[in-house]
Amino acid sequence: MRPLPVADDVRIRDELMAGSEECLGEVYDRYSPAVYGLALQMTRDRGAAEDITQEVFVDLWQRPERFDPHRAPLGGWLSMIARRRGIDWVRRRRTQASVIVAAAGGEPEHRVEDAVLTSTTNRQVRRAVADLPATHRQAVMLAYYDGLTYREVALALNIPEGTAKWRLRNALHRIGEQLTAEGIHQD
Amino acid sequence: MIDNGHIGDLAGPYAVGACSPDEEMAVAEHVSSCPACATEIDTLSRTAELIGEAAARPPSPGLRSRVLAAAFTARPGRSEVRRLSDIYRTQVAELDRLLADLPPTQWQNPCQTHSSVRAMLLHLTENDRQVAATAGVGARAGASDVRASWRTQALAISETVGRAGGDLMERDVRLAGRRAVRRPMREALIQRGFETWIHAEDVRVVLELPPQRPDGRQIADIVGFALPLLPAAMAAAGNGRAIRLVLTGDGGRTDVVGDGDVVAEISLPAERFCRLLAGRLTPDATGAEIGGDTVAARGFLTVAATMGCD
């Protein structure tokens, strides 16, 4: 288990609750690439990604008490909110059928390759995703970036639901094991 | 969903948020009492986070100021709260200093639209009361005179708001004035500073002292507070045509007020516009330069002159 809370996250939450403008600027500078990049990967629309980024940070500023540093690190929490909003956007924009057809027909890995912020860790994560068997990779991409449930993934890939669940679990384990083998500590 | 008493393959979908809501609740309940599943969920969730972080891409530089401005509009930060509280306190101190210099006989002198300075101060105390109540500042019993009563309440507002931070500034308050408008505390505090300055100017007239302008930031605050209220007031007066308003000097800015095509342009110093809003200058006395539809422009200035608190 990751040790929580991260001390800096407790300080940040306290300062945001006290209304420190500088602290929000600091949080934005640190996490906006992750939030924006994730939103852009999901929506493939710069305007929508900017709107989601704005919503995520304005929400944090308005209700900092909703972030509990004992339950998640701030970066992960913001990414989770960004992802939820991205999923909402994707679901609003497309009918479920068109998502499934489009997602199943396309090869989603290029979206990960597009990312330009190339820290060593990010490169290794992208390589670990690319190294997955194609069937696993598709399942992860459909669930993670297109916001499909595992049942929808099963439908999109024409596989049993149990197989979709297993592929998602197995894919994440494979990525994690490869990263650990490469010396990336996941904490 | 439970596999041999554990969540099994659902750990994968759960970590990427791909379960149904019912399954999500069931997994969350299970992991709260199963360290083995909790550890696996934690590991897989971290991997999922890393996938998300691998997509990181810097947004355009302009997004930063847009996001921060939207945030601080939604909830003012503590330095903004302190700034507004300081402006108000400065105006309270200035009016109190003028009142201290006012000879007892002049307290009964007419004061602008009020029958006396004393009546003006009672009116100001009453207008402050909405903000005081929202800030949790109770009525001060036993204040010996009208000046002490007003000052005690006003300073308590300033202190409470300055300490409370942004959350209090989000609360809605009924603004002083003829129209029943509720706006966030931040705007109500700007209005208190505005009205206190205007009444200090009223007392200066009684004392035959020259007028004093507030600093540019306060003028900008007053303009920013009043402009969004104007379209509704114009519509209520049956005068909804769009005007380009060019406010010059400290606190100045250019805005289009109202919808549709701009029919007239009005240019005047921002400080004089504030005095017009307070009903202390007539439209003609502002010296505003008007271009385009004169009738529409005069109609706009007439409506603006009704926005005060008297």
Side-chain angles (χ1 to χ4, degrees), chain B residues 110-133:
Chain B
C111 185
Q112 287 291 338
T113 57
H114 300 278
S115 59
S116 67
V117 173
R118 179 186 157 78
M120 178 277 289
L121 200 58
L122 284 169
H123 149 87
L124 177 60
T125 307
E126 189 55 38
N127 277 355
D128 290 344
R129 205 177 308 279
Q130 287 281 347
V131 173

Side-chain angles (χ1 to χ4, degrees), chain B residues 193-214:
Chain B
F194 179 23
E195 188 177 359
T196 307
W197 162 57
I198 286 296
H199 288 315
E201 291 291 84
D202 295 344
V203 177
R204 280 191 196 95
V205 172
V206 174
L207 289 168
E208 298 180 347
L209 293 171
Q212 191 167 306
R213 64 160 59 217

Side-chain angles (χ1 to χ4, degrees), chain A residues 34-161:
Chain A
V35 168
Y36 173 76
L38 184 53
L40 187 62
Q41 292 281 42
M42 299 183 75
T43 61
R44 289 168 255 183
D45 180 308
R46 282 179 196 282
E50 290 187 348
D51 288 348
I52 289 171
T53 304
Q54 176 168 326
E55 290 167 12
V56 167
F57 287 99
V58 171
D59 272 6
L60 174 69
W61 174 248
Q62 282 195 280
R63 302 278 173 264
E65 67 280 2
R66 286 190 190 159
F67 163 58
D68 181 353
H70 297 271
R71 292 175 63 90
L74 181 57
W77 192 75
L78 291 173
S79 292
M80 182 195 71
I81 307 276
R83 205 167 147 266
R84 276 189 193 157
R85 289 185 179 273
I87 289 171
D88 288 346
W89 190 91
V90 167
R91 287 181 180 169
R92 269 201 313 272
R93 277 301 170 102
R94 306 181 214 160
T95 65
Q96 204 57 41
S98 71
V99 170
I100 291 168
V101 169
E107 177 55 59
E109 71 182 278
H110 70 277
R111 285 195 258 155
V112 173
E113 296 306 318
D114 275 349
V116 295
L117 205 73
T118 49
S119 75
T120 306
T121 302
N122 288 350
R123 272 201 302 273
Q124 286 172 294
V125 172
R126 295 201 314 260
R127 194 184 318 120
V129 173
D131 287 348
L132 288 172
T135 50
H136 281 55
R137 191 167 59 244
Q138 281 179 324
V140 169
M141 291 293 145
L142 288 170
Y144 199 83
Y145 289 130
D146 287 321
L148 268 57
T149 65
Y150 73 84
R151 289 193 176 86
E152 291 166 337
V153 170
L155 197 61
L157 300 179
N158 198 24
I159 55 175
E161 290 179 3

Side-chain angles (χ1 to χ4, degrees), chain B residues 45-57:
Chain B
S45 298
R46 181 62 191 137
T47 300
E49 280 170 25
L50 286 172
I51 295 172
E53 287 166 19
R57 175 189 289 257

Side-chain angles (χ1 to χ4, degrees), chain A residues 2-12 30-31 67 69-70 72-74:
Chain A
R2 282 172 286 175
L4 287 173
V6 178
D8 208 32
D9 285 354
V10 175
R11 172 190 67 82
I12 286 170
R30 195 184 300 176
Y31 296 111
F67 163 58
H70 297 271
L74 181 57

Side-chain angles (χ1 to χ4, degrees), chain B residues 69-267:
Chain B
F72 300 149
T73 299
R75 175 191 170 216
R78 68 181 166 204
S79 60
E80 170 72 353
V81 172
R82 281 197 202 117
R83 186 183 72 79
L84 294 172
S85 167
D86 287 350
I87 284 174
Y88 178 50
R89 192 169 54 248
T90 300
Q91 292 296 352
V92 169
E94 176 62 10
L95 175 55
D96 191 50
R97 186 185 66 76
L98 292 165
L99 293 171
D101 291 342
L102 196 68
T105 52
Q106 293 196 7
W107 275 83
Q108 298 307 322
N109 283 15
C111 185
Q112 287 291 338
T113 57
H114 300 278
S115 59
S116 67
V117 173
R118 179 186 157 78
M120 178 277 289
L121 200 58
L122 284 169
H123 149 87
L124 177 60
T125 307
E126 189 55 38
N127 277 355
D128 290 344
R129 205 177 308 279
Q130 287 281 347
V131 173
T134 305
V137 174
R140 302 292 161 134
S144 54
D145 60 64
V146 61
R147 178 181 156 212
S149 177
W150 157 75
R151 182 185 57 215
T152 305
Q153 177 176 263
L155 291 177
I157 290 170
S158 168
E159 275 171 32
T160 306
V161 169
R163 267 202 321 272
D167 298 340
L168 175 60
M169 301 301 254
E170 291 178 80
R171 274 188 230 163
D172 278 349
V173 188
R174 189 200 184 284
L175 296 179
R178 295 168 208 181
R179 299 174 187 88
V181 179
R182 294 184 69 81
R183 300 292 299 161
M185 174 65 107
R186 176 182 183 278
E187 294 175 41
L189 193 63
I190 291 170
Q191 193 192 36
R192 293 300 83 226
F194 179 23
E195 188 177 359
T196 307
W197 162 57
I198 286 296
H199 288 315
E201 291 291 84
D202 295 344
V203 177
R204 280 191 196 95
V205 172
V206 174
L207 289 168
E208 298 180 347
L209 293 171
Q212 191 167 306
R213 64 160 59 217
D215 73 33
R217 292 293 301 274
Q218 187 178 5
I219 293 175
D221 288 342
I222 294 168
V223 169
F225 154 73
L227 286 181
L229 301 175
L230 276 166
M234 288 164 67
N239 178 15
R241 285 175 294 174
I243 304 289
R244 178 176 292 108
L245 183 64
V246 181
L247 299 175
T248 57
D250 283 351
R253 57 193 265 184
T254 297
D255 287 83
V256 171
V257 185
D259 294 326
D261 295 335
V262 172
V263 298
E265 179 172 306
I266 303 173
S267 176

